[in-house]
Amino acid sequence: MKKLITVIFTLCFIGSVQATEVAVVDFRAALLQSNIGQEAAKEPKQKVAEMDARLKKEQEKLEASAKELKRDELTLSEEEFKKRRQQLAQQQNQVRGMAATMQRQAKELEQKLIQSLTPKGEAALKSLIDERKLDLVLNRQLSLYANADADITDELVKRINKDN
């Protein structure tokens, strides 16, 4: 009787076990590496480079002011020194704020870029999923381990390039 029950359970489990086709993809990287992604990223990259140049210029001014204050420290009255040190601290806060704002703007530019490219990427991914008969596609960053054959990011880049 036990053998019969074991055989029945085994047959049930064998019937329910299927091979699952799993792949991983870095969707964001695929969008940005594709030809349309590279083309669309030119303007945001230029804006970020301009913001970076402005920030560097402000940081250089700040460093020059700090060196000037240090140089003049002994010749300035205590009141004048405190005043200039306060101005320097205000400049430092402005530069930090400027850096934070620029970082936020750069992130927003990237998010807008990704959002504009997502429909084309999703269509290419859907066709790749159908072609390879994949049951599950995971974000590469979420997987602890994936065989190199399971990573379809490069295939997705090629598919996006082909479709456009």
Side-chain angles (χ1 to χ4, degrees):
M1 185 67 175
K2 285 184 182 180
K3 287 183 181 182
L4 181 60
I5 292 174
T6 305
V7 170
I8 291 173
F9 274 128
T10 304
L11 290 174
C12 288
F13 283 125
I14 289 173
S16 67
V17 173
Q18 295 178 356
T20 303
E21 290 294 321
V22 178
V24 294
V25 68
D26 187 342
F27 190 72
R28 181 184 161 280
L31 290 176
L32 295 176
Q33 291 172 9
S34 69
N35 292 341
I36 58 169
Q38 293 289 320
E39 188 62 36
K42 285 181 181 178
E43 184 181 338
K45 281 182 181 179
Q46 183 179 3
K47 286 181 180 180
V48 169
E50 289 170 3
M51 289 188 295
D52 193 41
R54 276 199 321 259
L55 181 62
K56 284 183 181 179
K57 187 177 178 182
E58 291 298 320
Q59 287 173 333
E60 288 171 0
K61 282 183 187 178
L62 184 63
E63 287 177 24
S65 295
K67 286 179 182 178
E68 188 178 308
L69 180 61
K70 187 168 178 98
R71 184 191 67 213
D72 297 343
E73 181 178 0
L74 298 175
T75 59
L76 294 173
S77 67
E78 190 173 323
E79 189 176 298
E80 182 65 24
F81 178 73
K82 284 182 182 179
K83 180 181 171 187
R84 286 183 52 188
R85 194 170 62 192
Q86 266 185 331
Q87 289 173 345
L88 185 63
Q90 287 175 344
Q91 286 176 333
Q92 286 174 331
N93 287 336
Q94 287 174 343
V95 168
R96 274 193 226 107
M98 185 181 197
T101 300
M102 288 180 180
Q103 252 184 342
R104 184 178 39 76
Q105 289 173 342
K107 195 171 211 164
E108 287 173 4
L109 287 171
E110 182 183 356
Q111 287 174 342
K112 285 179 185 177
L113 176 66
I114 297 294
Q115 285 175 346
S116 70
L117 297 173
T118 294
K120 292 178 182 178
E122 285 177 343
L125 181 60
K126 176 80 172 115
S127 68
L128 193 58
I129 289 170
D130 292 342
E131 180 183 297
R132 290 188 56 177
K133 295 178 175 59
L134 297 171
D135 297 318
L136 179 65
V137 178
L138 298 172
N139 187 337
R140 184 169 59 190
Q141 287 79 9
L142 297 177
S143 65
L144 294 176
Y145 170 78
N147 189 335
D149 295 337
D151 190 344
I152 60 170
T153 304
D154 291 337
E155 285 181 65
L156 181 57
V157 171
K158 289 175 186 169
R159 179 65 53 101
I160 293 170
N161 290 340
K162 186 180 93 173
D163 291 347
N164 291 306

